[in-house]
Amino acid sequence: HFVPGAATGAAANGRLVSLEKIEARVFCRGTEGGNPVTIFASSEPLQGSLRQKLAKTCEWESIMVATETTATLSSPTMAFFMPSGEEVSFCAHAAIGGAVAMGGISGSYAFKAAMTGDFFMVDTAGVEGDGNENRKN
């Protein structure tokens, strides 16, 4: 279940970028239950201090999803945060929510963890017969 919003913020390079705030729940049936996560999606990584401030506005875990571009590589990145603003290395339900928000409802997506630099795959396809729905409501 996704509820979108919009804002602007400063990218790590100091440029102003568009920022989308999405409140979501993963592992739910329609709009019932599930694990809440707030997703902040931008076209470029945000400054560390801004990411912490955004995380502190949330009642639960949050994820910052962006595309990091270097001279040789362009890859989606995910940074995971606790409501205290503390960055953590990984959060499974936030990763799934971020993958659906950035990539789509069903598929496998590669991301880079901002804190560790490790690459990982997120598969958003549902397990047949599990009763969960992988669709935006």
Side-chain angles (χ1 to χ4, degrees):
H1 179 71
F2 288 78
V3 179
T8 57
N13 61 13
R15 294 186 347 197
L16 192 62
V17 296
S18 173
L19 175 66
E20 183 177 16
K21 178 181 179 181
I22 304 166
E23 293 181 355
R25 291 184 178 274
V26 298
F27 309 127
C28 59
R29 293 178 184 248
T31 59
E32 302 279 327
N35 294 39
V37 61
T38 300
I39 304 158
F40 295 96
S42 66
S43 58
E44 299 179 30
L46 301 174
Q47 294 176 345
S49 60
L50 177 58
R51 295 186 322 183
Q52 289 179 327
K53 287 178 186 176
L54 290 169
K56 288 180 179 181
T57 68
C58 302
E59 294 181 43
W60 43 73
E61 292 86 356
S62 61
I63 181 172
M64 313 294 162
V65 184
T67 301
E68 182 179 333
T69 304
T70 65
T72 59
L73 179 67
S74 178
S75 64
T77 63
M78 292 185 175
F80 306 94
F81 289 86
M82 300 301 291
S84 65
E86 174 189 4
E87 186 172 4
V88 295
S89 59
F90 189 75
C91 178
H93 78 279
I96 292 169
V100 170
M102 292 296 285
I105 301 305
S106 185
S108 293
Y109 307 97
F111 290 90
K112 179 181 170 184
M115 182 181 216
T116 64
D118 295 330
F119 285 89
F120 61 94
M121 294 291 296
V122 177
D123 186 350
T124 59
V127 176
E128 191 171 328
D130 70 355
N132 288 316
E133 302 173 39
N134 280 334
R135 60 185 165 94
K136 291 184 180 180
N137 291 318

